[in-house]
Amino acid sequence: IHEKKDLNDEINLLLGDYKAICNIHTSIYFGNNIDEDLYYKIVQNKDFTNAKSLLSEDYFHWELEFPQLFFTHKKIDFIIGNPPYDVVTFNHFLDSEFSNVFYGRPNLWQAFLAKGIELLSGNGKLSMIVPKSLLTDVYNKTLREFLKSNFTITSIIDIRNRRNTFPGVLQSCIILTITREKYIDNFTELGSVEDPSCLTDKIEIARVPYQKIFLDSKNNSKIIHSPSQEFYDIWT
């Protein structure tokens, strides 16, 4: 641990100057009022001293913090996330990049989910808290088909009380876990809790063959969710 800490300190010292320039670049999106020509001169001349004097804010830069991922094309074994929920107005890049999951009324969380899966290693897993509308809403039908055809949903935990999931936000949510591997005979665990504080308690879980959680329809297949094993024993 101490060796890794010393190595990390050494790397941060080497990257410190470059982070100063990256901070200016990132701060542009937050209205830093730095002259654009001056910014380009700082970049071209690698003027680290000027960069540090212009800005005191420090931002997080994914490429510099995880170069082993971004510059070696390695994949990620596990992703845990709380993606942003926001309807996307027309955006040519997003619409073309995520046409395999968007339908009707695209939302940012759909893009984050799809991108996260793309970044997973061959047997990697992803777990995100997403709107419950994923299960049945017509605007998620393309996403559901994308998941069903290419990956395996290993777990869905329903949070029943939408008032206590996020402060001041009325949003019904589920915790979704997906593996990049496609299992023909895999089981999906389906559970339910009153609110996130109950996740540490013993949860009633139904174990259902993955393909059986889908209520197939020609135009809009839905995901059936119940933590009752008896319900699925009758259903299947």
Side-chain angles (χ1 to χ4, degrees):
I1 293 173
H2 290 296
E3 288 178 1
K4 287 185 176 182
K5 183 181 183 304
D6 291 341
L7 180 60
N8 188 61
D9 290 341
E10 182 182 341
I11 292 171
N12 285 333
L13 185 64
L14 293 171
L15 292 179
D17 290 338
Y18 293 95
K19 285 183 178 181
I21 292 180
C22 290
N23 284 337
I24 293 178
H25 173 79
T26 302
S27 70
I28 290 173
Y29 298 97
F30 298 92
N32 63 10
N33 297 319
I34 293 175
D35 181 75
E36 194 169 327
D37 291 333
L38 175 60
Y39 165 71
Y40 283 117
K41 286 181 181 179
I42 289 174
V43 173
Q44 290 169 357
N45 300 326
K46 294 184 180 179
D47 189 349
F48 304 125
T49 302
N50 204 2
K52 291 177 181 178
S53 67
L54 282 173
L55 194 70
S56 59
E57 287 89 349
D58 196 18
Y59 297 94
F60 187 92
H61 308 290
W62 289 93
E63 292 83 357
L64 295 182
E65 298 295 340
F66 298 102
Q68 70 272 29
L69 291 176
F70 287 90
F71 300 112
T72 62
H73 304 291
K74 290 184 178 179
K75 296 290 186 176
I76 301 171
D77 294 323
F78 205 95
I79 294 175
I80 300 174
N82 172 21
Y85 308 163
D86 194 14
V87 175
V88 178
T89 54
F90 177 76
N91 181 293
H92 179 72
F93 169 77
L94 289 177
D95 287 352
S96 59
E97 186 76 8
F98 299 103
S99 59
N100 56 341
V101 297
F102 281 172
Y103 176 80
R105 191 170 64 186
N107 201 296
L108 279 178
W109 70 264
Q110 298 169 324
F112 271 77
L113 183 64
K115 186 64 176 179
I117 294 172
E118 178 188 323
L119 294 173
L120 289 177
S121 59
N123 60 350
K125 289 186 177 182
L126 172 146
S127 188
M128 286 187 174
I129 182 167
V130 299
K132 190 175 179 179
S133 58
L134 168 65
L135 303 181
T136 58
D137 191 270
V138 68
Y139 295 120
N140 289 300
K141 71 174 190 176
T142 304
L143 175 56
R144 284 193 295 274
E145 190 58 40
F146 170 73
L147 296 176
K148 178 184 177 182
S149 302
N150 300 287
F151 313 103
T152 304
I153 297 174
T154 59
S155 173
I156 301 173
I157 303 296
D158 177 32
I159 301 174
R160 296 190 297 270
N161 190 341
R162 63 177 185 157
R163 295 181 180 275
N164 293 334
T165 305
F166 298 109
V169 178
L170 292 178
Q171 175 69 62
S172 297
C173 294
I174 57 173
I175 298 173
L176 179 75
T177 303
I178 296 169
T179 180
R180 189 175 177 87
E181 289 185 310
K182 181 67 176 172
Y183 296 121
I184 297 176
D185 300 322
N186 195 70
F187 282 81
T188 300
E189 294 188 340
L190 303 164
S192 177
V193 295
E194 181 64 21
D195 57 56
S197 67
C198 302
L199 287 168
T200 56
D201 301 335
K202 187 175 181 179
I203 304 172
E204 182 183 5
I205 295 288
R207 294 184 75 252
V208 185
Y210 177 51
Q211 294 297 328
K212 296 291 186 180
I213 70 173
F214 289 93
L215 177 61
D216 290 326
S217 168
K218 183 177 181 180
N219 297 316
N220 184 18
S221 295
K222 297 177 174 63
I223 295 175
I224 306 169
H225 183 284
S226 172
S228 169
Q229 188 70 51
E230 184 180 22
F231 170 85
Y232 280 100
D233 291 342
I234 295 171
W235 177 261
T236 58

